[in-house]
Amino acid sequence: MTDRRTILKGMLAGSGLALFPIGAYAHEPSPENVFSDPNAPVLGNPDGDVTVVEYFDFQCTYCKRDYPMVRDVVARDGNVKLVMKDWPIFGDVSVYAAQAVQGAAALGEYETALDTLMTAKGARLTHERVETLLTDAGLDFDAIAAAVKDNEKKISDLLDRNYHQAEAFQFNGTPSYVIGRTVYPGILDRIMLESAIAQARSAG
């Protein structure tokens, strides 16, 4: 267990609405990097006419609470591309969870791993609980750890890009969203999310 944990740790460097572009920041994100990062797993309809990007943390209470709603809105719409961007701001365990799920993604098991950690009830996550939850979901944690090691730079760079995007958007916490060309720095309920999608669609 210690060896696996060592592999997965330490890879991450370092209100109102806004529209793209947001200004001259050191790491100003381009729409392509935000919406079409080739290393960011995609849910929903990959060819959807609207893209919803959520910056989240596996230990964020509101992210976990609203996750089923977000997935349901996307599924019911049928024409939305959903990009879940790890922004692990709640410490080492959040980084560990993000790395583990990205390792699962490399094995073709992203959705299973994501669903498992986002819908986990009860106690807060620990390194051991992340391993237990993913193993109980039928995933091979040794294979996940190996995939993280094999894809260390790819995963580290992805988390670094997500971090700098959230920083450039001046997000204060999770969840935060970019939908269409509009930035939503905070919680969206179902009506607000559906409205934001409709607004993005009407804007083309």
Side-chain angles (χ1 to χ4, degrees):
M1 278 190 170
T2 301
D3 291 341
R4 291 198 305 236
R5 199 163 301 128
T6 300
I7 289 170
L8 291 172
K9 285 172 67 175
M11 288 164 49
L12 181 64
S15 62
L17 306 180
L19 303 176
F20 271 122
I22 61 170
Y25 295 92
H27 297 276
E28 181 174 340
S30 69
E32 291 75 21
N33 287 339
V34 173
F35 298 123
S36 303
D37 189 322
N39 293 330
V42 171
L43 301 172
N45 182 347
D47 300 315
D49 64 347
V50 172
T51 300
V52 172
V53 180
E54 178 180 348
Y55 293 80
F56 76 103
D57 185 300
F58 282 108
Q59 296 195 95
C60 166
T61 302
Y62 297 109
C63 300
K64 291 166 68 70
R65 182 197 68 186
D66 293 344
Y67 175 72
M69 178 274 291
V70 172
R71 294 298 304 270
D72 185 61
V73 168
V74 170
R76 287 175 181 272
D77 183 285
N79 203 23
V80 172
K81 173 183 173 182
L82 176 62
V83 183
M84 300 288 290
K85 295 217 174 190
D86 297 285
W87 184 27
I89 58 175
F90 290 104
D92 181 67
V93 174
S94 293
V95 176
Y96 184 76
Q99 293 166 344
V101 172
Q102 290 300 324
L107 301 174
E109 297 288 355
Y110 176 72
E111 194 163 359
T112 297
L114 176 72
D115 284 348
T116 297
L117 296 192
M118 289 299 280
T119 60
K121 307 295 183 186
R124 291 186 65 81
L125 293 178
T126 62
H127 297 94
E128 293 81 2
R129 189 158 188 251
V130 169
E131 296 178 22
T132 298
L133 286 167
L134 294 178
T135 299
D136 288 349
L139 302 178
D140 182 338
F141 203 87
D142 287 327
I144 289 174
V148 172
K149 184 176 181 180
D150 291 343
N151 294 277
E152 181 172 346
K153 187 178 189 312
K154 176 180 174 182
I155 294 171
S156 179
D157 287 351
L158 174 64
L159 296 182
D160 197 47
R161 286 194 299 276
N162 293 351
Y163 174 87
H164 288 302
Q165 287 168 21
E167 182 181 58
F169 287 130
Q170 302 182 72
F171 290 150
N172 292 318
T174 55
S176 290
Y177 302 84
V178 180
I179 304 173
R181 296 183 69 84
T182 306
V183 175
Y184 297 86
I187 298 167
L188 297 178
D189 62 22
R190 180 181 291 269
I191 293 174
M192 294 166 68
L193 179 58
E194 291 174 343
S195 176
I197 292 170
Q199 179 180 321
R201 183 166 284 137
S202 66

